Amino acid sequence: LASGLQGLYLCKAGQARGPFAHHPDHHAFWVDNLVQYQWQHKAMEWDPAHPESERVLGSKALEDSFSEGVFGHQLVIGSLQGELVRASSGEAALLHPAFCEIQQLAYDRKGKIFAGLLSGQVVSWNLQSGARESLFEGKSAVVGMALSGNGKLLFVSRKGESSLDLYDLERRQPKGRLATRAAGLLQLRCSEDGRYLAGVRDAKLEV
């Protein structure tokens, strides 16, 4: 799945089909074999099996959103107020929201979601209960986050810092730092096998 100025594209074996639907404001996400995204501050859904199926899930304006992710089989948005809200309705998705602007979101396959805050802290919640579980401290704003393929490590990049913070999610404690060639890497992604970590800085891809 990829997105561009013309819309959504489906990519397989080096071939791309599209464009389909409208182009997302930010990112598009797979949710139960469907694609959900924001378009003009509306929550949208598109079914790749039926290319003309694009529909509006909710029209509540989300102009103060900072980051997106998937929670409880639906698109959620991190807000200026430090809340995680359902994109379709604007309703709170957590019992205990964060306490600062949410900059980045990441989620694993075991029922947890992580938020990187403007304050530098990283917070995690249990997706089943909505309760906050962990809090990692940090001094600089979080600008990128990625989970390892096995979900055991969380990589965090911070504004102006040329090293990534590593967190052991099983022990819920810091694990050290990883030096990089560029400060403040954005759009962090970890390969499924855990061998590669990629990020963007000054429109260049760093691996």
Side-chain angles (χ1 to χ4, degrees):
L1 177 67
S3 63
L5 294 177
Q6 302 301 316
L8 297 170
Y9 297 83
L10 293 175
C11 306
K12 185 177 182 179
Q15 300 295 319
R17 292 191 297 119
F20 303 104
H22 290 95
H23 66 86
D25 291 344
H26 303 292
H27 304 288
F29 298 86
W30 286 107
V31 182
D32 298 335
N33 297 320
L34 301 175
V35 179
Q36 292 186 5
Y37 51 94
Q38 281 192 89
W39 174 67
Q40 294 187 351
H41 306 296
K42 299 175 184 177
M44 308 293 293
E45 184 174 79
W46 176 66
D47 184 352
H50 302 88
E52 305 300 324
S53 65
E54 185 182 41
R55 69 188 185 97
V56 177
L57 292 177
S59 57
K60 181 177 177 61
L62 295 169
E63 296 180 2
D64 62 350
S65 63
F66 267 78
S67 50
E68 303 165 302
V70 177
F71 168 88
H73 304 283
Q74 61 184 302
L75 183 67
V76 292
I77 306 296
S79 75
L80 277 167
Q81 292 74 35
E83 296 179 329
L84 197 67
V85 299
R86 294 178 174 87
S88 59
S89 65
E91 297 175 350
L94 298 168
L95 294 177
H96 305 289
F99 29 80
C100 184
E101 295 173 11
I102 295 176
Q103 298 282 88
Q104 297 289 322
L105 289 174
Y107 55 95
D108 65 14
R109 300 170 183 171
K110 299 179 180 179
K112 289 188 177 167
I113 193 163
F114 303 85
L117 309 183
L118 181 65
S119 62
Q121 295 160 314
V122 176
V123 185
S124 74
W125 293 271
N126 183 293
L127 295 184
Q128 302 301 321
S129 65
R132 191 163 59 231
E133 290 192 344
S134 301
L135 173 65
F136 302 120
E137 296 292 343
K139 295 182 179 179
S140 302
V142 175
V143 295
M145 289 200 312
L147 285 162
S148 60
N150 59 15
K152 294 181 179 181
L153 291 176
L154 178 68
F155 300 89
V156 176
S157 62
R158 301 181 182 281
K159 184 177 181 180
E161 296 188 12
S162 57
S163 295
L164 304 180
D165 287 333
L166 276 67
Y167 297 99
D168 185 324
L169 299 181
E170 291 188 323
R171 298 183 179 181
R172 298 188 187 181
Q173 63 185 29
K175 190 177 177 64
R177 308 200 81 192
L178 177 66
T180 63
R181 292 177 293 180
L185 287 176
L186 307 174
Q187 300 181 30
L188 281 183
R189 295 293 185 271
C190 187
S191 64
E192 189 67 23
D193 60 9
R195 295 178 60 190
Y196 300 99
L197 185 69
V200 175
R201 181 63 178 169
D202 295 330
K204 295 180 180 179
L205 181 66
E206 301 280 349
V207 180

